[in-house]
Amino acid sequence: MSFDGLSPAEIGMDLGIVIEQLQNGERIDKEYLKALFAPTAPIQECAIANDWSDEYLRLSSEFDDLIAL
């Protein structure tokens, strides 16, 4: 799984698709989401570059709790 060059807009689009899948009761790719939220992965890199690291840490912590369910 390669995320090279994934833009913030692409990250948002990917997350939007997952949200829609959840709303429709569809199966989601948890491994893909885990990869997006991993340290030094696209979401964290975007957060650091845009000065919302603290918000990312809170979000990723909540994500880790929810994805384990």
Side-chain angles (χ1 to χ4, degrees), residues 12-46:
M13 189 172 68
D14 286 353
L15 292 175
I17 290 168
V18 172
I19 290 168
E20 188 175 313
Q21 289 171 326
L22 288 169
Q23 290 172 334
N24 292 332
E26 298 173 21
R27 185 179 173 96
I28 61 168
D29 185 347
K30 288 183 179 183
E31 295 308 312
Y32 181 73
L33 284 175
K34 287 178 186 178
L36 278 177
F37 276 92
T40 71
I43 296 176
Q44 185 183 37
E45 293 297 320
C46 182

Side-chain angles (χ1 to χ4, degrees), residues 33-58:
L33 284 175
K34 287 178 186 178
L36 278 177
F37 276 92
T40 71
I43 296 176
Q44 185 183 37
E45 293 297 320
C46 182
I48 290 168
N50 291 286
D51 200 30
W52 50 274
S53 298
D54 292 339
E55 292 87 349
Y56 169 78
L57 289 175
R58 283 192 295 277

